[in-house]
């Protein structure tokens, strides 16, 4: 989990995409928020969803596997719900991700 979190964080920082990190290990409210905002069909068969999970505001985007696939297909901005500015890698909307 830690390696996946670092991978997402490193990508967002390297591409100057503004985001808000929600630490679910240290904050019960963040943990509750993440669990409530992961859609039923994206939850594991048993137990709780594990981080990292990505959101655009409160809209669920996906887990690490979905992020990784989008990145491999050069479709990460579309996955994140952002428009890649021409000649720039700065996103305009605030992303949230639970780590």
């Amino acid at each position: 989990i830690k390696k996946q979190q670092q991978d997402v964080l490193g990508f967002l920082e390297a591409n100057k995409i503004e985001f808000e990190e929600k630490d679910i290990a240290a904050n019960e409210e963040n943990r509750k928020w993440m669990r409530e905002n992961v859609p039923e069909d994206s939850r594991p068969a048993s137990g709780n969803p594990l981080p990292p999970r990505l959101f655009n505001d409160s809209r669920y985007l996906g887990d690490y596997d979905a992020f990784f696939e989008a990145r491999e297909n050069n479709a990460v901005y579309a996955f994140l719900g952002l428009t890649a500015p021409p000649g720039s890698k700065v996103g305009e909307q605030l992303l949230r991700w639970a780590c």
Side-chain angles (χ1 to χ4, degrees):
I1 291 175
K2 185 81 168 169
K3 185 177 182 317
Q4 292 175 350
Q5 292 169 331
Q6 291 172 338
D7 191 30
V8 172
L9 181 63
F11 180 86
L12 297 174
E13 289 176 341
N15 289 284
K16 296 180 173 68
I17 297 173
E18 188 177 338
F19 64 92
E20 175 187 348
E21 185 175 352
K22 289 187 170 272
D23 186 345
I24 65 166
N27 186 307
E28 181 61 34
E29 270 191 47
N30 288 343
R31 186 176 16 249
K32 183 179 175 185
W33 183 91
M34 183 191 78
R35 290 176 181 164
E36 289 173 353
N37 285 285
V38 172
E40 195 68 39
D41 63 343
S42 297
R43 295 179 187 185
S46 63
N48 292 309
L50 296 175
R53 301 288 173 144
L54 291 100
F55 300 84
N56 190 326
D57 289 321
S58 62
R59 184 174 55 93
Y60 181 70
L61 303 176
D63 61 6
Y64 177 78
D65 291 336
F67 168 79
F68 182 81
E69 184 177 326
R71 194 176 66 187
E72 290 295 305
N73 292 321
N74 294 319
V76 75
Y77 279 95
F79 168 77
L80 296 173
L82 303 174
T83 301
S88 176
K89 295 183 178 184
V90 178
E92 297 174 0
Q93 296 173 338
L94 176 67
L95 296 177
R96 299 176 193 276
W97 71 293
C99 62

